[in-house]
Structures are given as structure tokens and as C-alpha cells.
Amino acid sequence: MKKIIGIVVAVVVVIALGFAGWQFLDLDPTSFAGGSTVALGDYKGANVTGVPGELASADIVKRGEYLIHAADCQACHTAPGGTPFAGGFAFNMPFGTIYSTNITPDKDTGIGNYTDAQFLAVVHKGIRADGEKLYPAMPYTSYTYMTDADALAIKAYLFTLPPAHAPARQNQLSWPYNQRYLLAVWNAVFNSDERFRPNTGRSEQWNRGAYLAEAMGHCGECHTPRNLAYALDNHQKFAGAVTAGWHAFNISSDKDSGIGGWSDEDVYLYLSTGHAEGHGGAAGPMGEATDNSLSYLLPDDVHALVTYLRSVPAHATDLPRTVTTPAPASHKEGVPTVSNPRGEKIFAGACASCHDWTGVSPVTGYATLTGVRAVNDPTATNVAQTVVNGVDRTTAEGRIFMPAFGEGYSDDDIAAVANYVTARFGAKGASLTGKDVAALRKQAAQQPNHQEASND
Amino acid sequence: MLTLNINGQSHQVDVPEDMPLLWVLRDHLNLVGTKYGCGVAQCGVCTVHVGGKPVRSCQLIVGDVGTRAVVTIEGIGNTPNGAKVQQAWMEAAVPQCGYCQAGQIMSATALLDSTPQPDDSDIDAAMAGNLCRCGTYIRIRQAIKNAAAKSA
């Protein structure tokens, strides 16, 4: 009997290891491209790392400023309304909350004492100056592809900032996730700890785009689904995932559920301005990524990103094709009132004046709902988040604003209006409940700094 | 310099493109009948017509108006439905404090333009975004019906 149990256990272990191996193989975020890669030093093409040609002769701080935008450090290292780069931004995970830290050059609470080697260890390996391991909320498995020169230019820029005294906030993680030493195992499996390797079978523009997307912009950290160990599953590269309570949509080449149906120009506009006519505007974390990072990239770099994004193979997911025809002008047509009277009533009072009953805004293209992925997402995740949190973006075209309705409306109200909006303007109506909205609020919540959150 | 068509007249204004239309109307063209309320398109007092549609002028940046015709409360009486609505408003003595009424009249006129004989549900859908802190909603509803009856 014991022998049989032993064999069963052994078989289970082998299957588990095999499954894990299959899951974890093919980790490289650019391996989908096939072909062969070379070390940067052996690459014959033009330099695909660093800053664009226009800035090649700029000093290290200026280069660092461009690169820190490209790597979008600010969005996560700044609490809402807080000092830029002083940390305190909350990551709400299923197993607890982690806070970003102060990366201003403050000697007590920031990185003021970091040597170059220590900074590189943080960026490439996720190991802080005191030897402790960072949680991979810091995307060092992406930044590990960054060159030493680029990371140190970013450091040089950070060291020109005014030091801010901002002690790290206490993470709230449950056991065993609060045992940092366990990350050694995670790192061994999931962090390649190698610098970017250009692909010799692809164009220089593609390689530049790959460097910007993987080593700098870390798109996959939100847009690629995670495996059981919470590492990126590049078998489903860019197929979309819910991160921080927002749906980071499928940006693979799939025509229906991804961006395969978008024109290059639309992808370019969306990346550089956070808006493309007929596709809506970025809100939430993508709005931040646009305003803090992508909008600073020079045109050639954005074109390189477009080229790279276009090459990512299609991964069909359960997002339906977006509806591109406007809803009827009369509220009586389209969604029957009886199906969701509460949602219709809220839409009439709070939404219709800007979004119109057709979904085509008479005010601004940013407010047009027709064709927008979020309203064509049957989970209505981002519709609910946008209603709760509003939109407040500062763009080259001015301020893009939608009020945050989260304080004024109940969870049931927000669920009702999100269900109405997805049914009226999207491919399939959502069926959110007040409970779902409460959960979404929690995932995206940012506690004010003066109020230490507790575990209860 | 931008050229705007307001109440049938051409106006040249030297303002930043991202200035809300409401500010241009009130502060640069002295068309102060249109009021400022919440500033976030949630109360309706700043409603004007742009290209025939009711629009919250606090949210529409002037650079986005383009060649679309703008009609404000100062000009609405020159349109057939606007005249009927204003007449009905006087007959029913709709306003109390009056602050929201310019916006109410603009939304009501746009409703009659698109739906000449609105029922209660049409009125709800078109007017729900126009708040009245005095609670004149019952008279607003009646005045809209009276104005529609004049067209019948």
C-alpha cells in the first residue's frame, strides 16, 4: 500500500513539475519573434537602447529624464496628489497591499545613499541596498533588460530631484507572502537577469520597439496574464489581464479581441496622446501611462512601439468585436427601459449630457462611447472604474475631465449604470452587482498617506 | 483668433483654444444669460445649442466648436420652438429663483426640436440633466407640454 502511495505521489510530483516547466518555459517576453538574438555588444545594427538620436549629445541628466519617462517610474512611485517619486502608491493584491517606495535622493528615506552598483541591483535583480528582496510589483523582471548605461542615466536624473523625506509605508501582506526570503526561489525561476538581446532577424525599428516595450515601458506587466506564481505568462503575451482593478485590454494582434483591427495611425495616436477617434480615450492606469510616459516619447520611438506591438501574435480572448455604430438617438430605442430602469435613469441625469443617447459626444471625441473597448467589455470593469474614479488627465490638447461619481452614487447605482452603458453602446450588456463594484473599488483604492491603513 | 457663429452673428475672439465656451460667452462676449453652475456638466445651467444639440458649455472647449452654429439663451427666442417655450414659460410662471432657467429653456427647446410631441418619458430623458434647486420641475413639465400643444 505504502508503495502505491509512493508511486502516486511521485507521479503527481512529476506531472506538477512538468506542468510547471511547461508554464515557465519560454519566459523571454520577445521569444515569440523566433530567430536568433545576440548580445548588445555583438549587434551590428544601430543602437536600439538609450535615447533617440535627437538626444544623443544631451548630458546624462537630460538622457535620464527621457529614459525615466520611457520606463514610467513616476506613475507607481508617486502617491495620488503626492510628491513625484516619493512613493506611497498602493498595490492591492489578492494577498495584501504593497506600497511603492521613495526614490528621491533623500539619504534617510529615499535612495540618496545608493551607489551605482546598488542601483543596478535594484533595477536588474530586485535587491535593495540592504540586501532585502523587492516584491515583483517593482517590475525588475522587465527592467532587467535595461542596459547599465540607461539605468544609471535614470539614477543621475533622480539624483537631481529635491530629496523628499517620505518613509516607506508598511506593507500589509499575509503569510507566507510576507516572507521576503522566499522571493529568492521566485527570482531564480522568473527573473532572467540578463540584458536586452536584439533579434538579428528583425528590423532595427522592431528592436527599438522591443526595447522600449519590454525593458522600459514594461507593457506586459499589466497587459500580459499572470500564471499561478504571479509571473507573466508569455504564452499569452499581451492577451490582457485585470491589474489593480482595471482591465488592461488585449493588445495582441487579434482582430476582434485585440488591436489587430486598428490602423497603425490609430495605435500611434492612442499611444502618444491616449486617444484615437473611434477607440475612445485612455483612463485609469493607461491614462497615467500616457500622461507620465508615452506622451513624452519622440515620434520615432512611438512608431517603433507600433511596429513591435503589431508583431505580437494574435491571442483570441473572450472580448467581443467592438460595436462601431452609434446607439439610437431616442432613449426609447435600443435598450428597453424595463430591463434596467435604474441604469437608464442615472444615465439620463448624470451621463447623457456629455455622452449623448447615441454615445457620440457633442462635446469632445474623448467622451464618445461608440467603438470604445471598455463599453464593449462584457465585464464592464473599466466602465465601473471610470464612473467611480472619473478621468482627470492633462494632455497636450488640454485637460480631459470626467467627474468621479464614486462618492455620490452607491455601488448598486454604479453597477446599474455600467450595465446600462455596456448594453446600450457595447456588444453585450454586463451584469455587475453592487458587490462587484465594491470589490472593484477596493482593488483600485489608494488610501491617503496620513491615514495608516490597518488590516481589518 | 477664432471665429464663432453665435446667435446668427459672426464673432472674432482672441482666446486660448482650450478655454471653455462658457467663459468665452460670459467673459469675452458679455453674453451672461448663460450661467455657470457646477462646472462639471452635472447641473445643466450652462446649456447652449451647438450644431442644434444641447451642449454643456462649461465642458466644451472653444477650439472644438469649429463652424457649428451656437445658439444661447439670448438668441433662442428667435427660433420657432424657442419662442414657444419662452411664451409657455411665462404663462406657467415656471421660474422661482431663475438661476437654472436659461439651461432649462435651452434643453426644453432642443427636446421640441427633436421630439415635437414629447411624452413624460421623453421629458424625463431630455431634462434629467438639468437640476432646479427650487424644485420647479412640475411647472417645467407642464410648460413643455403647453409649448408642444401650440405646435400641434
Side-chain angles (χ1 to χ4, degrees):
Chain A
M1 186 66 193
K2 261 188 183 166
K3 203 173 174 185
I4 294 172
I5 292 173
I7 290 167
V8 168
V9 168
V11 167
V12 168
V13 167
V14 167
I15 291 172
L17 284 175
F19 179 72
W22 178 80
Q23 273 271 301
F24 304 156
L25 273 176
D26 199 20
L27 272 176
D28 182 342
T30 55
S31 58
F32 70 88
S36 52
T37 62
V38 291
L40 268 168
D42 300 328
Y43 184 58
K44 299 280 185 282
N47 184 21
V48 296
T49 66
V51 293
E54 293 92 321
L55 290 169
S57 57
D59 64 50
I60 188 170
V61 172
K62 206 84 199 137
R63 283 183 277 134
E65 186 179 11
Y66 185 86
L67 293 166
I68 203 168
H69 281 133
D72 199 6
C73 308
Q74 185 173 346
C76 290
H77 279 286
T78 308
T83 309
F85 301 108
F89 183 93
F91 298 83
N92 305 302
M93 317 268 199
F95 30 80
T97 300
I98 298 173
Y99 295 95
S100 69
T101 53
N102 180 358
I103 55 168
T104 70
D106 185 55
K107 287 196 184 299
D108 296 328
T109 62
I111 60 166
N113 290 321
Y114 271 62
T115 64
D116 285 357
Q118 287 170 331
F119 190 79
L120 290 176
V122 164
V123 170
H124 290 151
K125 301 179 206 289
I127 297 174
R128 343 188 272 222
D130 64 0
E132 281 278 30
K133 292 169 187 66
L134 296 188
Y135 290 101
M138 161 73 175
Y140 56 86
T141 57
S142 295
Y143 290 158
T144 201
Y145 298 108
M146 195 187 296
T147 63
D148 289 3
D150 287 354
L152 294 177
I154 287 174
K155 175 173 179 275
Y157 171 76
L158 285 171
F159 273 63
T160 65
L161 298 174
H165 184 85
R169 298 181 70 183
Q170 191 69 47
N171 293 335
Q172 286 123 25
L173 291 169
S174 54
W175 190 88
Y177 304 101
N178 56 1
Q179 306 296 306
R180 282 185 188 262
Y181 67 89
L182 292 174
L183 285 161
V185 180
W186 195 92
N187 287 340
V189 182
F190 296 113
N191 187 19
S192 67
D193 190 16
E194 65 170 0
R195 307 297 88 78
F196 180 71
R197 293 174 62 87
N199 188 313
T200 51
R202 300 279 180 158
S203 67
E204 281 166 16
Q205 192 186 38
W206 183 93
N207 278 298
R208 175 63 177 169
Y211 185 73
L212 287 169
E214 305 301 346
M216 308 302 282
H218 57 284
C219 314
E221 297 281 344
C222 289
H223 285 282
T224 297
R226 290 176 185 274
N227 61 25
L228 286 175
Y230 238 65
L232 300 183
D233 177 8
N234 282 316
H235 296 94
Q236 296 292 317
K237 185 177 179 67
F238 289 171
V242 173
T243 308
W246 289 75
H247 196 157
F249 289 119
N250 184 333
I251 52 169
S252 77
S253 305
D254 190 64
K255 281 219 176 333
D256 287 341
S257 49
I259 56 168
W262 292 36
S263 69
D264 284 358
E265 179 67 8
D266 283 350
V267 180
Y268 177 87
L269 284 172
Y270 199 91
L271 289 174
S272 52
T273 67
H275 173 67
E277 210 62 41
H279 296 293
M286 189 61 191
E288 289 167 8
T290 307
D291 297 343
N292 292 322
S293 173
L294 292 161
S295 61
Y296 287 89
L297 296 183
L298 291 176
D300 282 352
D301 274 352
V302 184
H303 285 301
L305 268 180
V306 175
T307 299
Y308 178 69
L309 270 179
R310 290 306 210 183
S311 75
V312 176
H315 292 291
T317 48
D318 52 5
L319 286 173
R321 176 185 300 211
T322 55
V323 172
T324 53
T325 45
S330 167
H331 72 287
K332 288 175 179 163
E333 296 163 40
V335 181
T337 303
V338 289
S339 69
N340 184 354
R342 187 176 191 168
E344 184 187 285
K345 199 165 202 162
I346 295 166
F347 185 83
C351 318
S353 65
C354 285
H355 295 293
D356 202 84
W357 291 95
T358 62
V360 179
S361 172
V363 179
T364 162
Y366 280 82
T368 287
L369 299 176
T370 309
V372 173
R373 170 55 79 197
V375 299
N376 284 277
D377 171 7
T379 69
T381 301
N382 291 9
V383 172
Q385 290 290 19
T386 308
V387 172
V388 169
N389 297 294
V391 178
D392 192 356
R393 296 183 43 212
T394 305
T395 74
E397 293 177 40
R399 191 169 173 212
I400 307 302
F401 180 80
M402 165 173 152
F405 294 91
E407 296 285 313
Y409 286 80
S410 70
D411 293 337
D412 287 342
D413 286 339
I414 288 161
V417 79
N419 294 341
Y420 184 79
V421 163
T422 46
R424 184 167 187 85
F425 306 109
K428 188 168 177 280
S431 47
L432 281 180
T433 64
K435 267 197 177 137
D436 297 330
V437 173
L440 287 173
R441 282 183 195 258
K442 227 175 170 173
Q443 289 170 51
Q446 291 291 327
Q447 297 85 1
N449 214 3
H450 54 84
Q451 209 177 8
E452 273 304 325
S454 64
N455 272 327
D456 52 12
Chain B
M1 194 68 94
L2 292 167
T3 304
L4 297 173
N5 175 351
I6 300 169
N7 299 328
Q9 287 184 344
S10 181
H11 293 267
Q12 302 266 317
V13 285
D14 187 11
V15 294
E17 290 214 355
D18 66 350
M19 181 180 277
L21 175 63
L22 177 62
W23 298 11
V24 179
L25 294 174
R26 291 185 55 86
D27 297 346
H28 291 266
L29 298 171
N30 201 31
L31 292 167
V32 294
T34 308
K35 301 294 188 246
Y36 173 87
C38 66
V40 292
Q42 288 299 297
C43 75
V45 303
C46 68
T47 305
V48 300
H49 291 188
V50 180
K53 284 203 149 225
V55 173
R56 307 300 188 243
S57 61
C58 71
Q59 289 300 299
L60 177 64
I61 60 171
V62 66
D64 281 349
V65 174
T67 56
R68 291 182 288 174
V70 178
V71 178
T72 69
I73 189 68
E74 286 88 352
I76 199 69
N78 297 328
T79 69
N81 278 328
K84 271 179 224 155
V85 167
Q86 287 186 327
Q87 189 61 34
W89 239 249
M90 285 190 280
E91 286 168 11
V94 172
Q96 186 168 317
C97 87
Y99 197 79
C100 72
Q101 296 294 329
Q104 303 283 2
I105 287 169
M106 297 308 287
S107 289
T109 305
L111 169 62
L112 292 187
D113 289 344
S114 66
T115 313
Q117 299 298 324
D119 60 20
D120 279 340
S121 144
D122 293 318
I123 295 172
D124 288 344
M127 305 299 295
N130 286 80
L131 303 186
C132 172
R133 299 302 300 269
C134 305
T136 63
Y137 300 114
I138 294 166
R139 294 203 294 271
I140 288 171
R141 186 183 299 279
Q142 191 56 54
I144 290 173
K145 288 180 175 174
N146 293 351
K150 288 176 207 268
S151 315

